[in-house]
Structure formats: C-alpha cells, structure tokens
Amino acid sequence: MRTETKRMIKRLLRNPSAVLGFSLLIFFTVIAIGAPLICPPQSYDPYMIPIVTWDKTPQPPSTEHPFGVIDGRDIFYGVIWGTRTAFKVGLIVTLTSTIIGLLIGSVAGYFGGWLDEILMRITDVFLSIPYILAAIVVTAFLGMGLNKVMISLIMFGWMATARLIRGNILQVREEQYVLAARALGVNDYLVILKHVLPNTIFPVVIQATMRIGSLVITAAALSFLGLGAPVGYADWGSLLNFARNWLLGASGEAFKYWYAIVYPGVAMVLFVLAWNLVGDALRDVFDPRLRG
Amino acid sequence: MKQPLVRIERLIKYFPIRAGVFKRVVAWVKAVDDVSFDVFEGETVGLVGESGCGKTTIGMTLLRLYEPTSGRIIVGEEDTTYYFLPTTKARSYLKRSYTDRFQQLLKEKGSTDSVIDSLQGIDRRYAEIFFGDAKGSASKFLSVMLSNMDEKRKKFRRDLQIVFQDPYSSLNPRLRVKTIVGEGPLTHRLVRGDKEVVERVKAVLEDVGISGEYIYRFPHEFSGGQRQRIGVARALALSPKLIIADEAVAALDVSIRSQVINLMKDLQKEHKLTYLFISHDLSVIKYVSDRVIVMYLGKIVESAPKKNLFDEPLHPYTRALMSAIPIPNPNIKKERIILKGDVPSPINPPSGCRFHTRCYMAVEECSKIEPQLREVKPDHYVACHLVK
Ligand SMILES: Nc1ncnc2c1ncn2[C@@H]1O[C@H](COP(=O)(O)OP(=O)(O)OP(=O)(O)O)[C@@H](O)[C@H]1O
Ligand code: SF4
Ligand SMILES: [Mg+2]
C-alpha cells in the first residue's frame, strides 16, 4: 500500500494543474490558520473587520492598508479572515449535505422498493425548487446571518449526492464482479466495502470537492444580496457587497476603486479554482483506467 | 448407479414484476418453470436455447445468487436448497420437505424400515438420519441439518464457481489481478499472508496462460481474451468441482474464442472439472459438450448425449435450431426450417406446449395439453406429443 501511495503522489506531481490546485489549497490553508498572526484581531470577535476610519469613501492601497479601505474597513483584514469564513462555509455545508445525501441515496439504492420510491420523490421535490431562490426564501424565513445561510444551503444541497450515490449503487449492484464476489463466498458487508463502495464513493468525493468552491460563490451571492453575514463580517461576499455602491468608479475614472473588487474577487476565484483543480486531480487518481 | 455431482429437481424461478406507488406485484416472469436435470462428475453439460429462455437464471439460481421460487438443488450428498435462506425460512423448508413428509409416510407405512425402503437417493439418506440419529424428532433433525451452516456454505461456494460473459464488467476495475484472483483463496483461508497469496495467484494465472509477472496489473491493461482467462483463474483459484460458464466466450472474437474454449477443455482434464456450459450458440455447444440440454421459454424440450442430439434431433424446436447452423460441407443438402414470429413473453407463456405458437408441426392437442419430458430412446429425453 505504501508503494501505491508513493506512486499516486508521483503521478500527482507530474500533473501541473494538480500541483497548482494543491499549492493554492495549501496557500489558503496556511492563510486561514495563520490569520491571527497576519492580522491580529482588534476586538472581541476576530471575524469583525476593524473600522479604521469613519470616512466611507474607499481609500486606495497604502503601506498601512495594503489592499485599501472600503466603508472605513481594512480590505486586507477582510480578505485574510474571509479565508477562514470561506473554508468554514464550504467545508461545513459540503460535508453535512454530502452526508445527508449519502444516507438518503444509499438507503434508497440499497433497499429499493417503496422506500426508494418515497425518498426519490422527496428528492425530486427539492430539486424542482431553484437553488438560489430556495436559499433566499429559507434564509429570509430563518433570519439573516451566516449560520442561517449555511442551514439553507445544506437543506438544498444534498440532492445531487443522493441521486449520484443511488444511481451508482443500483448500477454497481448488478455488475458481474459483484455477483462474482458473492459467488466466491465473500460476505455481504465485505462485498459492499470492497466492491460496491469504492466504485460509488469516489465520484461522490470528487463531486463534493468541486462543490466546496461553488458553494463559496453561492454564499457570496447571498451576502451580496445582503442576506448573509452581518455588516462588517470578514467574508469575501460582504466585501463585494460594500463595493457594490462604488462599482462604477468615480466620474471619468471607471476603475478608480478597482481594489475594492479585485482583492476579494481574486481571492474568491482562486479559491474556487483550487477546489476544482483538486477535484480534477482526485478524479485522475481515483480512476484506475487513467493510471499509468 | 452413478451419483450426480449436481441434481436440479423441479426448479422454478419466477421474477415478480412490480408497479405503482406501492410496488405491488402485478405479474410474474416465469423465467425457469419446472426444470430438472443432473450433472455428473467430469462431464460438460451444454445448456442451449434462444435469448431469454432462462439459461442464465438457471445458473444464477444454482449458485443461489437468486433464491429459487421452488425446487431442490442437491450437490453431492447434500440438499443445499436451504443453505442461503434465513433460519426461519430454512426451518420451514426442511419441515415441509422432510420431517412432515417422513412423519406422514410413517403413518401410512407403519414402520420406519418400510418408509426408508420406499425412498431413494437423498430422501433415503435423510430418512435414515431422521429415524436413526434424530430418533424421529423433528427438532433434533433440524438441529443436525442446521448445524455448521457457515462451513456448509463455504464448501458450497468452493465447489461451485462461475465464469461470466462480459470480460469488462466481470472484473472490478479498481482492483489488481492479485486481489481479484486472490480474493477467493483468502476468503476461504486456503492461503495465509501475502507471500502465499502471490504464490497461489501466480500459479493459477500460469495455469490459464497468463504470465505470473502480471499480478500487479489492473484489468484494463489486458485484452478481452486475457480478461476472460483471468475470470477463469478467479474461479479456478478455489479448486472448484463445477464451473458454470455463462456465455463465457460469446463476447470474444472468433479466433480468441477457440483459444479460450481449448484452454477450458485442457483445464477440465487437468483439474477434473465439471462444466455447465451455457450458450445460445449451437456450434460452441457442439464443440464443448458431452451432453446437451435444449431449453425453450423456461422449460427443457430435449436432452441427450451430444452425439445422439446432433445426429438425430427429435424435438421440432431443436431441429429448427440445428437447421440454422451452417455446415461446412456443401454436398450435404439441408432443409432450413425457419421459425415464424418471436419468442412469446415468459410472463404469459402459451398454453399446452409452449412452442406451439411457432411450431411447424403443431396439432390441435398441442395448445391444450402440455407434453412431458419423456425418455424416448436410451438417455434421450424429449417433450413433444408427436415424438413417440
Ligand atoms: N432479475 C430479473 N428480474 C426480472 N426478470 C428477469 C431477471 N433476470 C432475468 N429475467 C427474465 O427472465 C427471463 C430469462 O432470462 P435469462 O437471463 O435467464 O435468459 P437467458 O436464456 O440467459 O438469455 P440470454 O441468452 O439473453 O442471456 C427473461 O425474460 C428475462 O427478462
Ligand atoms: S408438442 Fe406440438 S407444438 Fe410442441 S413441439 Fe411437439 S408438435 Fe410442436
Ligand atoms: Mg444469459
């Protein structure tokens, strides 16, 4: 197994986009962990961006505020601590909704029959509601705040996983290698563990990885609409929300306030990119047909 | 009398068709409907018939990958029908098939000896246990029969193996050949530790003509023919007595097909294997079989030693099938019998003789009375009203 792992790592290192993805991810992780060192918190809640001036007009980057200031708040601080928020939202929402989807999908796929029928009809109902709209309505109903956003994203984020795992289980259950394993006398749990799950779970892991990135965008969209984090919370979407009023720049200078958009925007794009590249890399590693 | 390795008695397998929100059973697919046959040690029995006639279902039910709807599956000296049932079902099967019957017979015949004398084969053996060791107590008999189930199941799995049709779906794409072929021996503890697994897998692979160096490869790194050999190796690794080969060469190119068939024939001699060879292709069946069973819509219509069957097919369906095989010698004139229509649905099979809707010889009684499988010549069984 150790040679196996070594081989996998070697393979990953040969793939430039995988290297880029993992590097970005490591970079973001370091920033998220090191946030208190990079930007020491100045109030009891480190996630609140400190107010550095009462002047609401954006101020360009300076040595003191390297990414500039918007709405009186330090953009650099917001971007750094926003990394933590992005991880928090992405990981918690993805993990929870994936687990819910896994449970529902595997119960449906494994037991079949009327249970499958009922669970899949419920899934259909959830799927028929547009995601963003549902999230907006639920968040509005639960009340504002990051936690409420996360709950609504979880509530409407499990269906794809449920469908994927159910379809895979149904398909794999009929595969001749599963029948062959049963004919060999391998017990049912081992058959599931060794033959069914490995051929069903990896697509789910890959799908979940890719979703982490896009979730951050959805959460940002909700923040952008003013439904997410409270004002002043270190969150890339909220930073962009501040920038909304300054999007057009000043008269005659369209890009005057570029820093208000570019820094949080780039952070977000790179974060999404990182997860997508990592998802792609995992797909390569997990699919033995692509192994050299 | 020679004792069969496997005896299938009145096997029935119906699949439920469910519909609606509550998944109620609305009909049954009568995939296998009252089929009996024996397979003797060392022979190759060919099972042939058009697509959908129930060949695969017989194989799968024999291996208990499907549970039979009814019937008995005897392997060697044991009734294995209850082996894979949950305990309560197994108990009621054993009561129904043996203890209740023996007690009833005892009432009729008066003495245990006369009951035993009236029975033969496995029934006699079990009656001896019932009236002997179990002293006529149903619960004692059941506890004897239900003891060591794990071992019994393991032995069953070791003795009966299968090779599947599809060289792609039959090997787990995620596992290396070593794991695929080694899984059986490891499960049954025929080997211990990595070194022994490697040794065993290498030996079996060489047996099927694949170099032992390839044990760390993945299935996709092999050609179709090689993958099929690996499928044979997986079965062979348990040193089984019977191998069911379900269309084992159907997916292969013609040139590779004969290589794999010849390999299987060689292995048969070397390892004293018995084959149940399932195929829709009569020329393959003719090449490999000692005895041939012809099926139509879930029933056996004819069975005979190969030579008798091919020299003198008696059932109209068999004759139609045979008229469709090309003969290499153009001087032999052959009448081609063309069957009209499609195979009817096994959900509502035709009344009487199931073949009557397509039979070119059918008479009136054919649609009313079901012909029984009768021995019309030594060892040659036919189910047709017109064959006397
Ligand atoms: N799991 C199942 N559920 C429902 N019906 C089934 C199932 N398996 C087989 N059948 C039906 O039972 C009948 C017999 O199928 P089976 O696969 O045994 O035929 P076969 O002789 O092996 O055919 P082929 O040559 O196509 O492999 C068919 O009508 C098939 O549709
Ligand atoms: S019984 Fe009648 S229908 Fe059936 S095969 Fe014989 S002749 Fe044909
Ligand atoms: Mg078949």
Side-chain angles (χ1 to χ4, degrees):
Chain A
M1 206 59 207
R2 269 186 39 235
T3 49
E4 182 104 334
T5 321
K6 261 188 218 154
R7 249 203 246 200
M8 254 195 216
I9 292 172
K10 248 192 214 154
R11 220 190 117 69
L12 279 178
L13 289 180
R14 256 181 302 164
N15 178 352
S17 61
V19 171
L20 178 63
F22 279 104
S23 314
L24 279 173
L25 203 56
I26 291 169
F27 172 70
F28 277 115
T29 313
V30 168
I31 288 188
I33 294 172
L37 298 175
I38 304 169
C39 294
Q42 290 166 21
S43 63
Y44 68 96
D45 183 356
Y47 284 97
M48 293 311 287
I49 310 173
I51 294 173
V52 293
T53 161
W54 296 105
D55 179 5
K56 294 252 173 191
T57 24
Q59 291 169 18
S62 60
T63 40
E64 212 177 324
H65 307 296
F67 287 3
V69 173
I70 188 155
D71 212 41
R73 293 169 201 269
D74 183 14
I75 298 178
F76 184 68
Y77 189 101
V79 169
I80 297 295
W81 282 86
T83 311
R84 279 197 170 193
T85 311
F87 270 111
K88 198 166 77 176
V89 172
L91 290 179
I92 292 180
V93 170
T94 309
L95 216 67
T96 320
S97 59
T98 301
I99 288 172
I100 295 173
L102 271 178
L103 280 176
I104 292 178
S106 38
V107 166
Y110 194 78
F111 293 103
W114 57 267
L115 200 56
D116 177 31
E117 198 75 12
I118 290 173
L119 289 174
M120 282 303 111
R121 288 300 81 76
I122 294 174
T123 309
D124 286 345
V125 169
F126 272 83
L127 269 175
S128 65
I129 308 167
Y131 187 49
I132 290 275
L133 194 68
I136 291 173
V137 171
V138 172
T139 313
F141 180 74
L142 292 173
M144 318 263 149
L146 204 58
N147 291 343
K148 313 289 164 43
V149 168
M150 280 161 57
I151 292 174
S152 66
L153 290 180
I154 289 169
M155 277 175 67
F156 288 89
W158 53 270
M159 295 85 73
T161 312
R163 280 215 167 161
L164 185 66
I165 195 88
R166 171 183 174 272
N168 278 334
I169 287 185
L170 287 184
Q171 191 200 339
V172 169
R173 217 173 49 173
E174 297 298 314
E175 294 279 356
Q176 293 181 348
Y177 59 79
V178 172
L179 294 172
R182 287 174 52 205
L184 288 176
V186 181
N187 82 41
D188 282 352
Y189 298 109
L190 273 180
V191 171
I192 291 176
L193 214 65
K194 211 165 151 188
H195 297 279
V196 179
L197 275 185
N199 286 291
T200 50
I201 197 93
F202 289 123
V204 172
V205 173
I206 292 159
Q207 187 208 44
T209 311
M210 302 232 182
R211 220 172 53 212
I212 295 177
S214 65
L215 258 172
V216 168
I217 292 200
T218 315
L222 290 175
S223 291
F224 193 79
L225 294 171
L227 282 171
V231 175
Y233 197 85
D235 166 53
W236 300 335
S238 308
L239 283 176
L240 290 174
N241 190 20
F242 284 143
R244 194 164 50 168
N245 302 326
W246 311 96
L247 273 182
L248 294 178
S251 58
E253 288 176 276
F255 300 112
K256 186 168 180 203
Y257 306 123
W258 57 273
Y259 44 86
I261 311 260
V262 168
Y263 290 117
V266 164
M268 202 182 304
V269 167
L270 288 182
F271 192 78
V272 174
L273 183 71
W275 285 107
N276 275 312
L277 291 179
V278 167
D280 264 340
L282 290 182
R283 172 158 42 213
D284 287 357
V285 170
F286 288 144
D287 190 341
R289 269 159 297 209
L290 299 172
R291 267 185 228 180
Chain B
M1 212 187 93
K2 248 200 314 181
Q3 172 155 7
L5 175 62
V6 170
R7 160 165 278 183
I8 289 185
E9 273 179 18
R10 312 211 59 170
L11 184 71
I12 293 180
K13 178 64 191 175
Y14 291 175
F15 293 104
I17 299 179
R18 296 170 194 276
V21 186
F22 299 105
K23 298 277 163 198
R24 266 182 336 114
V25 176
V26 290
W28 298 92
V29 181
K30 298 172 178 159
V32 174
D33 207 353
D34 197 356
V35 161
S36 308
F37 64 89
D38 292 341
V39 180
F40 292 95
E41 207 152 322
E43 72 172 345
T44 299
V45 174
L47 195 56
V48 69
E50 279 166 295
S51 178
C53 69
K55 307 180 297 291
T56 296
T57 307
I58 288 188
M60 300 281 265
T61 315
L62 178 52
L63 285 180
R64 242 48 61 71
L65 296 175
Y66 298 156
E67 273 307 326
T69 306
S70 79
R72 219 158 45 147
I73 296 164
I74 296 163
V75 178
E77 295 248 278
E78 302 293 337
D79 178 0
T80 66
T81 317
Y82 66 95
Y83 275 22
F84 297 90
L85 295 176
T87 317
T88 44
K89 280 194 178 169
R91 296 180 85 87
S92 76
Y93 168 82
L94 288 170
K95 261 173 79 66
R96 191 166 13 113
S97 316
Y98 300 108
T99 57
D100 288 357
R101 217 171 101 226
F102 294 155
Q103 279 160 351
Q104 182 62 31
L105 278 172
L106 183 61
K107 265 187 217 149
E108 285 166 21
K109 311 244 177 214
S111 82
T112 57
D113 285 345
S114 55
V115 173
I116 291 171
D117 279 342
S118 72
L119 297 168
Q120 13 169 319
I122 194 146
D123 291 317
R124 185 182 181 118
R125 198 169 97 73
Y126 284 170
E128 279 165 359
I129 297 176
F130 180 69
F131 293 118
D133 290 350
K135 301 194 177 69
S137 142
S139 63
K140 269 203 191 123
F141 179 78
L142 289 187
S143 71
V144 172
M145 298 292 281
L146 291 168
S147 63
N148 299 331
M149 284 316 291
D150 249 20
E151 257 163 60
K152 287 180 181 164
R153 288 187 196 121
K154 282 219 151 136
K155 177 160 169 34
F156 178 92
R157 290 299 183 207
R158 272 202 311 276
D159 286 349
L160 274 61
Q161 275 303 309
I162 183 163
V163 175
F164 286 100
Q165 164 176 16
D166 187 347
Y168 288 90
S169 132
S170 64
L171 307 177
N172 187 337
R174 232 166 255 294
L175 300 180
R176 293 173 196 280
V177 173
K178 178 187 135 193
T179 320
I180 292 172
V181 178
E183 185 168 26
L186 269 176
T187 303
H188 291 270
R189 302 189 192 212
L190 306 178
V191 292
R192 271 162 216 277
D194 198 60
K195 206 170 134 256
E196 279 183 44
V197 177
V198 170
E199 261 168 38
R200 176 90 182 137
V201 172
K202 279 190 173 164
V204 184
L205 282 182
E206 311 250 331
D207 257 359
V208 300
I210 287 187
S211 161
E213 289 166 29
Y214 294 163
I215 62 169
Y216 293 107
R217 295 207 175 172
F218 286 99
H220 69 271
E221 297 172 75
F222 295 93
S223 68
Q226 287 175 315
R227 294 167 64 110
Q228 212 53 342
R229 286 166 191 260
I230 295 170
V232 174
R234 170 174 56 197
L236 208 60
L238 285 182
S239 317
K241 292 184 175 146
L242 174 83
I243 292 183
I244 298 170
D246 189 351
E247 305 276 10
V249 295
L252 304 176
D253 287 347
V254 179
S255 55
I256 295 162
R257 191 177 292 182
S258 51
Q259 288 173 15
V260 174
I261 292 179
N262 286 331
L263 166 76
M264 293 186 70
K265 282 190 142 187
D266 293 345
L267 290 172
Q268 179 167 39
K269 270 182 235 142
E270 214 176 300
H271 298 270
K272 300 198 176 60
L273 291 170
T274 309
Y275 286 134
L276 178 59
F277 212 100
I278 298 174
S279 178
H280 63 275
D281 183 344
L282 262 180
S283 47
V284 170
I285 290 287
K286 184 171 184 180
Y287 186 61
V288 298
S289 313
D290 301 314
R291 215 148 50 80
V292 180
I293 295 173
V294 185
M295 284 186 70
Y296 184 78
L297 260 187
K299 296 230 177 236
I300 295 179
V301 294
E302 183 163 7
S303 99
K306 172 174 77 183
K307 192 164 178 341
N308 308 18
L309 190 95
F310 281 87
D311 287 353
E312 198 189 4
L314 294 175
H315 195 281
Y317 177 65
T318 316
R319 281 158 56 189
L321 279 185
M322 286 197 184
S323 76
I325 344 179
I327 331 182
N329 185 348
N331 296 326
I332 298 179
K333 266 249 210 64
K334 201 169 64 165
E335 206 186 332
R336 176 108 201 236
I337 306 166
I338 300 197
L339 291 179
K340 39 185 196 287
D342 287 331
V343 185
S345 151
I347 298 171
N348 278 312
S351 60
C353 175
R354 291 192 177 186
F355 187 51
H356 84 256
T357 52
R358 299 167 81 200
C359 183
Y360 47 90
M361 290 173 68
V363 294
E364 214 195 318
E365 66 169 330
C366 294
S367 62
K368 295 189 182 120
I369 304 165
E370 186 178 335
Q372 298 302 313
L373 196 63
R374 288 172 302 119
E375 186 168 16
V376 292
K377 296 195 172 166
D379 246 3
H380 196 145
Y381 295 80
V382 182
C384 172
H385 294 305
L386 300 190
V387 180
K388 300 293 175 199

